[in-house]
Structures are given as structure tokens and as C-alpha cells.
Amino acid sequence: MRIAMTKIQLKRAYDPPAATDGFRVLMDRLWPRGLTKEELPYDLWAKNLAPSNNLRKWFHEDPAERWPEFKRKYLAELKLDEGLDEFVATVKNQTTVTLVFGAKDIQHNQAEVLKKYLETLMQA
């Protein structure tokens, strides 16, 4: 699977949208707290690609300690997800894709893992 010419970036759901966001994909299984659907513009809600509820809850208990294992487990979930090919087909022709997430931690979240995985696919 190969994605060509797509810039992938990350943005918190609570940050204002920008013209440079391109195709906005909400990457959370749950809707971000405190935001209405009118306050959060998005083109696609890819909740099926978010970590499973069990993995999300497990990670939330101790994100700093569990980050390496979370990445491994989440990648394993992604590779088995039947919706991944459809997602890639949807975003591969976009110039810019912004993965939008609700987590406070901008470096340790599922969107970061997915971004790196998609970038790996682009180089394949």
C-alpha cells in the first residue's frame, strides 16, 4: 500500500482550524469533551481507526510508562483493521491531511502513532 504526495500533520481538537489543515480527520473513538459538533470542523471521523476501548483505557492509566507498549499494541490493532485500506484510499489523494485528536499530550497519543505509520507507508 502506498500513499503519494500527502503531507500529514497533527492538531488538537481544541486548537482553532486553519486554512492549511486541508482534509481534517478526527482520530478519537469518543467525541472530544466540551466541544460541540459545530465547534469542531472535520471532514471524516475515523473512530474505527482509534485504539480499542480496552487499549485506550489501559494507556490512560499511566501514559508515560505505557507509551512504548501502547505504540506496539496500537500498531498491531491498525494492521488488523479492515478499515485501514479504505481510510488510506480516502486520504491518499489529499495534499494535506490533519489528524485531529483530543488528548492533552501532543507527543504521546494515537494520532502520533498513526501519522508515523502512514508516513512509513508513503515511503514504501
Side-chain angles (χ1 to χ4, degrees):
M1 177 179 355
R2 182 174 167 80
I3 306 170
M5 309 285 291
T6 302
K7 175 184 176 187
I8 301 169
Q9 54 193 19
L10 303 177
K11 183 176 260 189
R12 286 196 72 224
Y14 305 98
D15 294 337
T20 56
D21 288 351
F23 190 79
R24 291 173 53 96
V25 181
L26 178 59
M27 293 307 310
D28 290 339
R29 188 167 296 274
L30 304 175
W31 189 262
R33 290 181 185 201
L35 291 178
T36 66
K37 297 210 177 189
E38 295 75 29
E39 293 172 319
L40 179 58
Y42 65 96
D43 298 295
L44 176 66
W45 185 4
K47 58 183 162 183
N48 61 311
L49 291 181
S52 64
N53 283 328
N54 286 340
L55 181 56
R56 178 181 56 80
K57 290 175 184 176
W58 172 83
F59 177 60
H60 185 69
E61 290 173 11
D62 190 357
E65 182 67 30
R66 294 181 175 178
W67 175 242
E69 185 69 6
F70 170 78
K71 289 190 302 186
R72 189 188 66 71
K73 289 180 176 188
Y74 180 41
L75 282 171
E77 285 185 358
L78 281 172
K79 290 174 184 176
L80 295 175
D81 194 305
E82 294 176 5
L84 183 62
D85 288 342
E86 183 178 341
F87 175 75
V88 170
T90 300
V91 301
K92 71 180 179 182
N93 294 321
Q94 302 294 327
T95 303
T96 303
V97 173
T98 298
L99 302 178
V100 179
F101 60 94
K104 291 177 186 174
D105 188 333
I106 60 171
Q107 295 176 338
H108 303 102
N109 61 69
Q110 73 274 10
E112 179 66 34
V113 176
L114 180 61
K115 177 183 185 282
K116 288 189 173 160
Y117 183 57
L118 292 174
E119 288 171 344
T120 299
L121 293 176
M122 283 194 278
Q123 295 172 2

